[in-house]
Amino acid sequence: MQTKRKTLLEARNLTKTFTTPEGKPFTVLEDIHLELQEGEIVALLGRSGSGKSTLLRCLSGLLRPSAGEVRYRGQPVQGPMPGMAMVFQSFALFPWLTVQQNVELGLEAMGIPAPQRRQKALEAIDLVGLDGFEKAFPKELSGGMRQRVGFARALVTEPEVLFMDEPMSALDVLTAETLRLELLNLWQSGRLPLKGILLVTHNIEEAVLLADRILVLSSNPGRIRAEVAVTLGHPREREDPAFQELVEEIYCILTTRPAPERATLEPLTLGHRLPQAPVGALAGLLERVAEGPDYGKEDLPRLAEEMRLEVDDLFPLLDAAELLGLAVLQAGDIQLTAEGQRFVKAGLEGRKRIFAERLLQQVPLVGHIHRVLNTRPTGRAPEERFLRELEDYMSTEDAEKVLATAIGWGRYAELFEYDYNTGLLSRSEEVASPAAG
Amino acid sequence: MRRVFPSPEVLRPRAPFSRWDLVVIPGVLVLLLLLTLALRGATAPYGPNTPDLTVSLNPAHLPYYGLRTLLRMLAALLLSLAFTLVYATIAAKVPRTERVLIPILDFLQSLPILGFLTATTAIFLGLFRGNLFGLEAASIFAIFTSQVWNMTFSFYASLRTLPRELQEAAAMLRLSPWQRFWKLEVPFGLPNLVWNAMMSVSGGWFFVVASEVISVVGRDQDQYLPGVGAYIALAIQQADAQAMLWAGLTLFLLVLLYDQLLFRPVVAWAEKFKFEQSESSDTAQSWVLTLLQRARFSQRIARLPQPLWEWLWLKSARGHRPGVALEPPPKPRLRTRLADLGFNLLIALGSLALVGGLLGYLLGPGLGFGNGQMLRPNPNLNTQLSPEIAQRFAALGITPGADGSVWLSQLCAASRGGQALSSGLKALLETPGVWAPANLAAACQAPLAPAGKVAWPEVLEVFKLGFFTALRVTFFVLLVTLIWLPIGVYVGLRPRLTQWVQPLAQFGAAFPANLLFPLFVVTIAHFRLNPEIWVSPLMVLGGQWYILFNAIAGSAAIPNDLKEAARLYGLRGWNHWRRLILPAIFPAFVTGGITATGGSWNASIVAEVVQWGDTTLVATGLGAYIARWSTGEFNPHVGLGMLVMGLLVLAYNRLIWRRLYQLAEERYRLD
Ligand SMILES: Nc1ncnc2c1ncn2[C@@H]1O[C@H](COP(=O)(O)OP(=O)(O)OP(=O)(O)O)[C@@H](O)[C@H]1O
Ligand SMILES: [Mg+2]
């Protein structure tokens, strides 16, 4: 180990709680300890909704932790500090300002007079390779170029810490790769006063490619569940066996549930956050696993690579498969269960039947909706009714997503019907009058 | 900096002048000259001894009148803008204030605009004592109240819907509140604000015509402020058709000028503030904007105040101080609870005091009761408020109010409860224009409301009038919808036609419909039609255009792929309408409908009582009620009328439009 480096940013016992619309608190982050040392790139990985963005915003001072504290160079963080900068997933450029005006914005906040502002901004624009586009408006630029403006705007203030929230996920694969390499070059060239980078990502390979340390967050509530040091030298090659081993290791961590989470998995509650997995994609995934060379078992990194899925697309599918008991996840592999095999082999009608069975057995929310509709004489209920119930457990936004997922599944399984225009759920015809058949 | 290809800008020699300056500089000078001219007229001395203000029907004066009217519109618009920025910002930013400010705004918005004229004249005359500007200010204020509310709402809504990511970016960059306001909040709200300002000004032309003739307490004659509106009012009074034509022409030119010189450039300029990720193809153009942008010398002059701005800018910067988080620091729960409780209590007490004060003002100290009995209405005997009759009452020892009103209670007092009528009084009560109860003694026996105040039975009566007006508004908005919706859709589905018709519809909305009222009056009088019915279309004359151009805009915005899909599936006739057109234009229709009904309610005050020369047509309704009482001083009757109309409009919007709007937002959005 090298000499002890200075701590740039640290979080102690950081906990973040939001309140549901019903006024009940729900914890998104719990007891997070984290340090960012000088000269380090740290990546935060975790499933969708695990609180990565929330953690990044707490660390940068945009949000205030509910408990615990964040320190930047030993000072408590109460708002964004001078020396911090952020790059956003959606670029967050001001569409009414030109590239140069966007870049100058951070300098204006620092009170730098116009001539210096102009010079520094032009230098920064030059640095990210956008010279010639100073007078362009963001909407005239491609995604990749917009993110370059995002980088220029962050770097022009000469920050020590750079926060990045999925900076590449809105870009196409090639552009993202180019930008990653350029960022790494800049970082290593020492041309910047930058001392540390904190990167949130969905992309496991991106994390392994860039970071010196990877922190993996668990979900509900988010805790730091594992820390993986990446000791590979640069440049890193994806084909390198050591690289692939690391990727595999992280998949393993992400697919093995820690003990307490496992315990809560079995008896699901009504308020369980159902993974957003469309039935079509789920069936596609299961089919692919069944057809694969290992007959019902597949290595996750390979699956992700082949199906071109990133963690945020892949894991909801895996979660759903596991939740419904159609597959199990183990040490970075997915394996179909007997039910899963049956599902894949069945025809359309058979699949719907199996799916309905699994849903009623495993997903309390679907069972609840089904029961309510069947006990009502009209056989109908507005979606708001269930939304209100879900809001006991989560934010409105999440509740809407969860209900949409449940409705999508239930419709596929023909457990109930849904009219988008009226927002009414209704009993499915066949179920309603079995005698008529 | 390294640049391989020099841009054309660098190569071209930059003279400080461009030939466009030759147009812009004289243009600006002329505008300034006209402005001083108008301002001089508007700030002339005006005291009790100044002769009554009047206008001349000679068309040669019209350019000057137009100038004065234009200036009033401009002043009102600037005021509205300033008010909007301050009010909406406070409501959106200062915690808890929105709970008070927004309902107030909602209520003020539903109050009939013309009622404000009587309410404020006295205040402004007192404020600018001895100067004509007092009257000008009253007129400007009336126009202001017709424009400001929807602008404020729009800006407030923008502030509440700032994109999260931009808020975060602004916080991360540590922009100061001042910088954030000008770089984030104002630009984001600008496109909507400009659009709403345009709508407002369209509506404003209608009210400018009605707000340039002001009755002032202590003067027998109405005061005609130099302006096109006053010109029209006089022409109507004298039934001068030729003057009406001249006025119509002037207004046509004014609306055109306003559009070309002010709104088109602003709209074209505001294009760049649209919050969209990709360039839209059809962007607004304006020759004036192009001209201004190319005039180099003028730009240089326009940039002179920039150092001051820059100084302010840097002065407000945070420098090396930390920024502010997007959430407030967590406060002890008990403290927030207590503060909340205190605040709510304060609001409750405040509203209670307000309602109490208001009822006291309307109904008198006993709130409509005396000796445990409900008081009876105390009507005004001088129904036309004619100064002559008022003088005859005065001669007989009954002092009329400043506006000429003579109350039943006064008559009772002067005749010992109606028992001892002098012969002079008896004769006076028989004159046309004077109303007295058939059985005076019995009427005097009942407990009467204090002079000038209203009684509870009257409140009921006014609600009934409001119901009639509501019926008219609803029926005629539905009727014009049936007419214009199909036409709008027909036009909207044909892009070439849309280009032609859309500006016409917008122009129609701006062109003040009151100019056409006399046509109706003459027709109705000629054919002896029932005014109760035939006066009503006047209310929607101005509002109908909003339905037309929203229908056009809505159907023009139907995405092409939807239209093609409909064609592929062979959707025809009614099914085509039901499945594609109606759902697609529903949100636009609701927007148009809200504007149209709001305008109609407001217009009812001028539309239920219309005049041409000696012919006056009156329809039973709340508008007519308010119009009848809006003479001179603000009084409890006008107050009651305004209050009831405000409540009815509020209920109307809540019960009908808000629901439809939500439906439109949730179900029928195309994006
Ligand atoms: N302001 C808020 N109010 C209420 N709940 C919130 C708020 N912000 C985030 N949440 C909730 O906190 C949880 C974590 O959200 P967060 O955005 O941090 O997750 P994430 O790991 O970044 O997810 P993703 O990968 O989808 O970006 C989610 O359930 C989210 O709905
Ligand atoms: Mg996130």
Side-chain angles (χ1 to χ4, degrees), chain A residues 16 57 61-64 79-80 82 86 90 93-96 108-110 114 117 131 134 139 146 420-421, chain B residues 2 165-166 168 171-174 179 183 187 273 275 277 310 313 317-320 323 325-327 329 667:
Chain A
K16 180 73 191 171
R57 278 157 181 71
L62 282 176
L63 296 179
R64 294 170 192 269
M86 192 179 279
S90 52
L93 301 177
F94 292 61
W96 39 84
E108 287 173 19
M110 291 166 72
R117 238 164 38 208
D131 41 342
E134 296 85 359
K139 59 181 150 198
R146 284 185 214 174
Y420 178 79
N421 278 333
Chain B
R2 141 187 75 91
E165 63 203 76
L166 292 190
E168 288 184 342
M172 239 12 246
L173 292 167
R174 295 183 298 121
Q179 292 173 332
K183 286 272 151 127
F273 296 104
F275 189 68
Q277 294 307 323
E310 171 83 9
W313 201 245
R318 279 191 210 281
H320 288 281
L326 287 176
E327 315 173 286
R667 301 280 165 213

Side-chain angles (χ1 to χ4, degrees), chain A residues 47-54 57 89 165-166 200 202:
Chain A
R47 302 195 178 185
S48 192
S50 59
K52 305 179 296 292
S53 301
T54 307
R57 278 157 181 71
Q89 175 180 8
D165 191 357
E166 302 184 28
V200 164
H202 269 140

Side-chain angles (χ1 to χ4, degrees), chain B residues 253-482:
Chain B
L253 290 176
L254 283 186
V255 173
L256 203 69
L257 262 177
Y258 219 77
D259 184 62
Q260 288 294 316
L261 288 187
L262 188 65
F263 272 115
R264 240 137 247 267
V266 171
V267 167
W269 171 74
E271 281 286 315
K272 77 168 181 181
F273 296 104
K274 278 203 185 138
F275 189 68
E276 53 187 14
Q277 294 307 323
S278 54
E279 269 179 296
S280 50
S281 47
D282 53 339
T283 48
Q285 304 281 337
S286 155
W287 57 271
V288 177
L289 183 67
T290 319
L291 203 67
L292 286 176
Q293 282 170 341
R294 292 191 181 159
R296 236 170 272 147
F297 186 71
S298 326
Q299 288 227 334
R300 202 168 280 196
I301 290 179
R303 273 199 223 109
L304 279 182
Q306 199 163 354
L308 180 71
W309 184 252
E310 171 83 9
W311 178 80
L312 252 177
W313 201 245
L314 295 184
K315 207 70 194 147
S316 84
R318 279 191 210 281
H320 288 281
R321 280 166 290 149
V324 176
L326 287 176
E327 315 173 286
K331 283 203 208 94
R333 288 254 322 234
L334 192 68
R335 261 219 348 244
T336 21
R337 282 268 179 85
L338 277 179
D340 259 357
L341 200 73
F343 184 77
N344 288 344
L345 215 68
L346 217 73
I347 295 181
L349 282 180
S351 348
L352 219 68
L354 199 74
V355 169
L358 197 66
L359 287 182
Y361 174 70
L362 295 180
L363 297 159
L367 299 185
F369 292 90
N371 296 330
Q373 269 181 305
M374 195 200 281
L375 299 178
R376 312 289 315 155
N378 182 1
N380 168 27
L381 307 183
N382 183 3
T383 49
Q384 308 300 322
L385 296 174
S386 116
E388 264 166 67
I389 293 179
Q391 267 165 20
R392 287 175 60 188
F393 269 109
L396 291 167
I398 299 180
T399 349
D403 55 359
S405 54
V406 177
W407 308 100
L408 177 61
S409 59
Q410 288 176 297
L411 180 64
C412 291
S415 60
R416 277 194 285 122
Q419 309 286 345
L421 268 184
S422 68
S423 58
L425 266 180
K426 213 173 229 161
L428 184 51
L429 290 187
E430 242 105 85
T431 350
V434 177
W435 178 89
N439 187 346
L440 188 61
C444 287
Q445 285 281 304
L448 291 177
K453 303 288 181 191
V454 297
W456 282 111
E458 248 176 311
V459 175
L460 207 70
E461 198 62 26
V462 172
F463 266 103
K464 212 159 82 192
L465 293 177
F467 178 72
F468 286 138
T469 304
L471 271 185
R472 281 202 188 95
V473 169
T474 312
F475 179 76
F476 280 93
V477 167
L478 278 179
L479 190 73
V480 292
T481 303
L482 281 183

Side-chain angles (χ1 to χ4, degrees), chain A residues 301-312:
Chain A
R302 199 157 77 205
L303 194 64
E305 162 95 32
E306 244 189 68
M307 299 190 68
R308 302 217 162 277
L309 290 172
E310 279 190 11
V311 176
D312 54 335

Side-chain angles (χ1 to χ4, degrees), chain A residues 166-313:
Chain A
E166 302 184 28
M168 318 291 175
S169 64
L171 308 178
D172 64 85
V173 182
L174 280 179
T175 315
E177 190 67 14
T178 322
L179 220 50
R180 254 174 231 137
L181 294 182
E182 282 182 33
L183 174 68
L184 210 53
N185 276 339
L186 271 179
W187 166 253
Q188 287 174 335
S189 70
R191 281 209 281 161
L192 304 173
L194 201 56
K195 296 274 166 50
I197 297 181
L198 205 65
L199 164 81
V200 164
T201 178
H202 269 140
N203 186 318
I204 298 180
E205 293 193 351
E206 177 174 286
V208 177
L209 212 52
L210 295 177
D212 299 305
R213 264 191 310 145
I214 298 172
L215 302 175
V216 183
L217 249 63
S218 62
S219 313
N220 295 324
R223 294 199 194 91
I224 293 195
R225 154 142 144 228
E227 178 177 329
V228 181
V230 186
T231 47
L232 305 173
H234 289 283
R236 295 173 184 168
E237 300 288 341
R238 284 170 207 262
E239 288 72 35
D240 183 355
F243 187 103
Q244 292 184 346
E245 207 168 294
L246 266 174
V247 172
E248 180 80 35
E249 186 186 338
I250 293 168
Y251 266 106
C252 278
I253 297 172
L254 280 167
T255 47
T256 343
R257 290 170 188 281
E261 230 182 299
R262 167 77 64 189
T264 56
L265 180 77
E266 304 310 342
L268 285 189
T269 62
L270 197 61
H272 184 82
R273 278 153 211 257
L274 301 178
Q276 289 173 58
V279 181
L282 181 61
L285 178 91
L286 295 175
E287 273 166 26
R288 165 65 192 71
V289 174
E291 284 163 10
D294 294 336
Y295 300 105
K297 186 169 171 181
E298 187 60 84
D299 185 39
L300 286 179
R302 199 157 77 205
L303 194 64
E305 162 95 32
E306 244 189 68
M307 299 190 68
R308 302 217 162 277
L309 290 172
E310 279 190 11
V311 176
D312 54 335
D313 299 320

